[in-house]
Amino acid sequence: MNLLIRKMTLDDLEQVTAIDQLSFSLPWPPRSFQFEVTDNPASRNWVAEMEGQTVGLLVAWLIVDEIHIATFAVHPNFRRQKIGEQLLAHALKSASAEGALKSFLEVRASNHAAREMYRKFGYLEDGIRKGYYKDNGEDAILMTLERIRL
Ligand SMILES: CC(C)(COP(=O)(O)OP(=O)(O)OC[C@H]1O[C@@H](n2cnc3c(N)ncnc32)[C@H](O)[C@@H]1OP(=O)(O)O)[C@@H](O)C(=O)NCCC(=O)NCCS
């Protein structure tokens, strides 16, 4: 099936918010996505679209030579089809073209699917933020990709 990765627009916000809510126990308020699209100059926002449907989202912040993955999800009905992999690769490649050399993120300790995907990309686990997530006090694992190579 044809997958298109493109910049997020205001027209995507309804579907983006729905995917976010299906994917996280602490979803972002819808106005946060709006802010990222319209008001945050550091923000690099992507969606994956399949046959007219938004099936994935990724929000990242480009700060000098670092790209911080802020949130990233694939609709539950479309997982394990390499959509996440393609979204992340696209975001990293695009950031690299803008001068990003490294990337970092936080991930829930229990999120083995995401940790596995990041490891595949070369991210290393290099820190823990104890009790970072407010809903259940779970730790965040900090992961860093020292050199973006795609
Ligand atoms: C993490 C997430 C974005 C992955 O998206 P996806 O499109 O399903 O992932 P892909 O099909 O591209 O998988 C790429 C690789 O990631 C790993 N992976 C993905 N899902 C996995 C799972 N459920 N269990 C173990 N490994 C998994 C595998 O290594 C996989 O490669 P493989 O299929 O060759 O084994 C998706 O599971 C998701 O939206 N989860 C909820 C939100 C979330 O946790 N976001 C990340 C926050 S830090």
Side-chain angles (χ1 to χ4, degrees):
M1 268 196 271
N2 263 352
L3 185 74
L4 170 69
I5 311 249
R6 58 167 178 78
K7 288 186 176 161
M8 190 185 292
T9 70
L10 288 178
D11 289 341
D12 295 312
L13 293 191
E14 201 173 311
Q15 289 186 72
V16 159
T17 304
I19 295 169
D20 189 55
Q21 287 175 357
L22 287 168
S23 300
F24 294 107
S25 50
L26 288 175
W28 283 16
R31 66 176 182 285
S32 298
F33 286 104
Q34 184 172 341
F35 170 79
E36 296 301 334
V37 171
T38 59
D39 288 316
N40 184 357
S43 201
R44 301 293 181 271
N45 310 297
W46 301 101
V47 292
E49 181 185 310
M50 210 182 242
E51 286 160 9
Q53 186 183 347
T54 304
V55 295
L57 65 98
L58 187 151
V59 174
W61 298 314
L62 180 64
I63 298 156
V64 193
D65 60 354
E66 294 186 346
I67 183 86
H68 181 179
I69 309 301
T71 192
F72 169 37
V74 171
H75 189 291
N77 296 345
F78 292 85
R79 289 185 190 157
R80 290 320 281 266
Q81 298 177 48
K82 309 282 186 203
I83 295 172
E85 216 167 84
Q86 290 183 65
L87 251 177
L88 183 59
H90 188 96
L92 292 176
K93 212 177 270 184
S94 167
S96 166
E98 286 193 87
L101 300 174
K102 60 194 272 187
S103 174
F104 65 97
L105 53 86
E106 295 98 22
V107 57
R108 280 183 191 260
S110 65
N111 192 347
H112 298 290
R115 287 171 70 178
E116 189 50 40
M117 158 174 283
Y118 297 134
R119 270 196 289 270
K120 263 179 108 172
F121 274 77
Y123 286 82
L124 297 177
E125 302 189 349
D126 59 358
I128 293 186
R129 287 196 212 283
K130 284 274 171 207
Y132 181 80
Y133 294 100
K134 291 190 182 70
D135 57 336
N136 62 355
E138 191 173 352
D139 297 343
I141 308 293
L142 308 185
M143 297 187 77
T144 304
L145 178 60
E146 275 299 332
R147 185 85 203 179
I148 299 173
R149 276 193 207 92
L150 287 159

